[in-house]
Amino acid sequence: MFAAHFAAALAIKTREPRAPVTALVIGAFVPDIIWVALAVAGVEPAAKATFFDDWSHSLCMVALWAALYAACFVASRGWPVAIAAGAAVLSHFVLDFPIHPKPLALFPYSRVRLSLGLSNVPAMTYWYVQMAVVLALLAVYAWQGARLRVPASRLTQSCAMVLALHLVMLP
Ligand SMILES: [Zn+2]
């Protein structure tokens, strides 16, 4: 999921408007940022045969990353913003969980794999599944945003940007 992570950050923004949107977007990508860093370091190989992402993407590790990321905001922004930032990190796991290159682990090297068994769906099916998730999250964003009196132009721009991002990912 790529565009869906942006959409999740926007949806969370409407739950806690005081949270900076950049903090939520970065939060929604924390496991991928860590994954890229660990891939470069050779700890989490990205090649299909040796693919490994337990340190960046397993449930327990994502919970830990979420707690650490949230902790960065407690002193400066208070608990509600910190919780929103942590929720953004957790949303990454929720969105990656249904379909992922390799089923996500409970914790690093755990034999327990969390999966819906959809890991090998065709790219086009995956794209449609993501589209449905993106639309659902953007609907939450637009609906809650309108309730919070976010200008319609900003809601439309944000939704259009996320949809455009997903369209360029068309396989
Ligand atoms: Zn990911």
Side-chain angles (χ1 to χ4, degrees):
M1 299 261 173
F2 183 66
H5 294 311
F6 281 98
L10 290 176
I12 293 169
K13 169 78 181 164
T14 60
R15 294 291 303 169
E16 181 45 64
R18 286 168 294 179
V21 74
T22 42
L24 297 177
V25 170
I26 292 169
F29 280 96
V30 158
D32 281 356
I33 295 167
I34 294 170
W35 177 70
V36 169
L38 293 179
V40 170
V43 179
E44 295 202 337
K48 204 172 178 175
T50 52
F51 187 87
F52 181 84
D53 64 355
D54 289 8
W55 292 109
S56 59
H57 277 73
S58 63
L59 179 59
C60 289
M61 290 309 293
V62 173
L64 176 67
W65 303 133
L68 291 173
Y69 191 67
C72 299
F73 296 92
V74 176
S76 59
R77 304 257 178 183
W79 278 102
V81 170
I83 289 168
V89 180
L90 285 178
S91 77
H92 191 99
F93 182 90
V94 175
L95 292 173
D96 275 10
F97 162 69
I99 307 175
H100 200 63
K102 192 178 154 205
L104 295 165
L106 182 59
F107 52 83
Y109 299 103
S110 164
R111 259 188 262 159
V112 180
R113 295 280 148 179
L114 309 159
S115 166
L116 296 180
L118 300 171
S119 293
N120 292 315
V121 295
M124 203 59 222
T125 309
Y126 181 40
W127 189 87
Y128 280 119
V129 170
Q130 285 192 77
M131 184 56 136
V133 173
V134 165
L135 288 175
L137 288 167
L138 288 181
V140 171
Y141 167 66
W143 176 47
Q144 292 293 324
R147 197 179 57 85
L148 292 165
R149 307 216 182 285
V150 176
S153 58
R154 199 196 305 166
L155 293 177
T156 316
Q157 273 169 12
S158 304
C159 290
M161 254 167 55
V162 174
L163 286 172
L165 254 177
H166 190 51
L167 284 173
V168 297
M169 303 294 284
L170 193 74

